[in-house]
């Protein structure tokens, strides 16, 4: 004969069901709570981006058949990917509000570019600090390294196009190619988070370009570490960034390295003096 359940045993399934419902409600409440911004300089929570105040066209209606223009005030908009995404408007807002009084700047040497050599030091300092804070590397990226990279890549020319007849070629201060721009935007799925959503033309802006270049440098360090089967140094990362392995001869590879090393050594010596 089947043993008759006691009153306590009969109540157990109901108790478990109630507990499961409570846990589900807690999870739903938690999921509805707004996430914090990924950095103190960001306005919107994770998964959203800032949109500045702008005019908005209202479609024609019976009352106003010609349509009208209203003002859409600044707000946070959901990112299509659900991930962290940076757009040019927010890049400029971060730059304008936070980069003027930073302490950890690259050494103020113009590296023999008297008109432009120190023009972007604030932008370099700002984006190096931002991405160091976000990505938390075991070895912090040095602003001097980024300044040396820019000097060796573009000579501080913000609108430089590597191939004048090819709009997809490397462009701007850090020489970002169109393929790299797509990778930074997460179009191929290689970059899992902290994406940068910009057009080719927007990469001509110095702050946008440096922001993207520094983010790409962090990704190149990850890739270099895989290739080297050890944690890559930042200098080794620069070789990955510059594609030194693709050089056709040892002389060509050494030439690429020598140009960067010369700038970097000058800046590092300046910082120690």
């Amino acid at each position: 004969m089947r043993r008759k359940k006691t009153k306590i045993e009969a109540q157990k399934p109901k108790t478990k069901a109630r507990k499961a419902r409570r846990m589900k409600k807690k999870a739903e409440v938690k999921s509805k709570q707004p996430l914090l911004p990924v950095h103190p300089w960001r306005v919107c929570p994770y998964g959203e981006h800032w949109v500045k105040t702008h005019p908005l066209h209202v479609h024609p209606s019976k009352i106003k058949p010609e349509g009208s223009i209203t003002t859409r005030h600044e707000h946070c908009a959901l990112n299509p990917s659900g991930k962290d995404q940076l757009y040019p408007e927010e890049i400029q807002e971060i730059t304008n509000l936070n980069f003027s009084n930073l302490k950890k700047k690259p050494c103020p040497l113009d590296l023999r570019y008297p008109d432009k050599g120190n023009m972007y030091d604030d932008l370099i300092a700002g984006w190096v600090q931002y991405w160091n804070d976000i990505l938390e590397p075991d070895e912090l990226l040095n602003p001097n390294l980024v300044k040396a990279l820019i000097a060796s890549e573009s000579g501080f020319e913000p609108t430089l196009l590597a191939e004048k007849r090819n709009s997809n070629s490397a462009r701007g201060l850090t020489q970002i190619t169109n393929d790299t721009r797509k990778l930074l935007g997460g179009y191929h799925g290689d970059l899992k988070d902290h994406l940068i959503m910009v057009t080719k033309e927007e990469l001509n802006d110095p702050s946008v370009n440096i922001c993207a270049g520094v983010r790409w440098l962090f990704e190149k360090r990850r890739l270099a570490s895989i290739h080297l089967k050890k944690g890559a140094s930042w200098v080794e990362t620069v070789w990955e960034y510059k594609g030194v392995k693709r050089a056709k001869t040892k002389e060509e590879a050494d030439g690429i390295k020598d140009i960067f090393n010369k700038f970097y050594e000058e800046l590092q010596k300046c910082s120690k003096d």
Side-chain angles (χ1 to χ4, degrees):
M1 289 181 64
R2 240 177 167 182
R3 185 175 67 85
K4 191 175 181 181
K5 290 183 179 180
T6 65
K7 188 175 181 181
I8 294 174
E9 288 174 331
Q11 288 176 342
K12 279 186 178 180
K14 295 181 180 178
T15 303
K16 287 182 179 179
R18 283 197 294 269
K19 187 177 180 181
R21 285 196 294 271
R22 285 199 300 271
M23 294 293 288
K24 185 178 180 181
K25 284 184 179 179
K26 284 183 180 179
E28 288 174 351
V29 170
K30 188 176 180 180
S31 67
K32 291 178 181 177
Q33 291 175 347
L35 297 171
L36 295 174
V38 297
H39 192 277
W41 293 346
R42 299 288 291 276
V43 175
C44 301
Y46 179 88
E48 300 181 20
H49 67 278
W50 180 79
V51 181
K52 69 178 182 180
T53 299
H54 60 279
L56 182 68
H57 177 72
V58 179
H59 292 295
S61 63
K62 289 182 179 180
I63 299 174
K64 294 185 176 180
E66 73 284 358
S68 62
I69 300 293
T70 186
T71 299
R72 181 75 160 97
H73 294 285
E74 64 178 72
H75 61 282
C76 293
L78 289 174
N79 296 333
S81 67
K83 301 174 182 178
D84 178 39
Q85 295 177 193
L86 262 178
Y87 288 80
E89 289 178 347
E90 192 167 6
I91 288 172
Q92 296 299 345
E93 186 74 359
I94 290 171
T95 302
N96 295 338
L97 294 178
N98 300 287
F99 287 6
S100 59
N101 296 311
L102 297 175
K103 295 180 180 179
K104 295 181 180 179
K105 297 182 181 182
C107 191
L109 286 180
D110 63 23
L111 301 175
R112 293 169 298 285
Y113 292 96
D115 296 329
K116 298 179 179 178
N118 293 319
M119 187 179 292
Y120 307 109
D121 284 3
D122 285 352
L123 301 181
I124 294 168
W127 290 118
V128 167
Q129 180 175 322
Y130 177 85
W131 289 116
N132 273 335
D133 291 346
I134 292 284
L135 300 173
E136 299 180 327
D138 55 348
E139 177 191 351
L140 293 178
L141 177 59
N142 188 329
N144 283 336
L145 184 138
V146 175
K147 185 169 182 176
L149 177 69
I150 291 173
S152 62
E153 286 287 316
S154 66
F156 301 101
E157 289 291 341
T159 59
L160 179 68
L161 191 63
E163 300 174 27
K164 292 183 179 180
R165 295 183 179 182
N166 181 6
S167 65
N168 291 326
S169 66
R171 69 168 64 221
L173 293 170
T174 62
Q175 290 290 277
I176 300 292
T177 66
N178 193 47
D179 286 340
T180 297
R181 178 189 69 82
K182 292 178 180 179
L183 289 170
L184 288 169
Y187 294 111
H188 299 297
D190 292 358
L191 216 63
K192 303 303 180 185
D193 205 355
H194 307 301
L195 311 176
I196 299 178
M197 318 302 291
V198 296
T199 65
K200 287 187 289 188
E201 291 71 23
E202 286 165 343
L203 284 171
N204 291 331
D205 178 88
S207 191
V208 171
N209 193 282
I210 293 173
C211 174
V214 175
R215 177 65 183 96
W216 187 236
L217 200 58
F218 272 87
E219 176 63 7
K220 281 296 188 181
R221 189 178 188 226
R222 184 185 72 82
L223 296 172
S225 298
I226 293 172
H227 298 156
L228 295 170
K229 297 181 180 179
K230 70 178 186 70
S233 70
W234 282 111
V235 171
E236 289 170 328
T237 300
V238 170
W239 307 151
E240 181 81 17
Y241 189 104
K242 287 178 168 292
V244 170
K245 284 185 177 180
R246 297 194 299 273
K248 295 178 181 179
T249 64
K250 185 179 182 301
E251 289 73 19
E252 183 184 352
D254 289 343
I256 294 170
K257 290 181 178 181
D258 288 345
I259 293 170
F260 169 81
N261 284 335
K262 189 174 183 180
F263 290 135
Y264 190 39
E265 287 166 8
E266 284 185 49
L267 292 167
Q268 289 293 79
K269 183 181 178 182
C270 163
S271 295
K272 291 177 182 177
D273 291 343

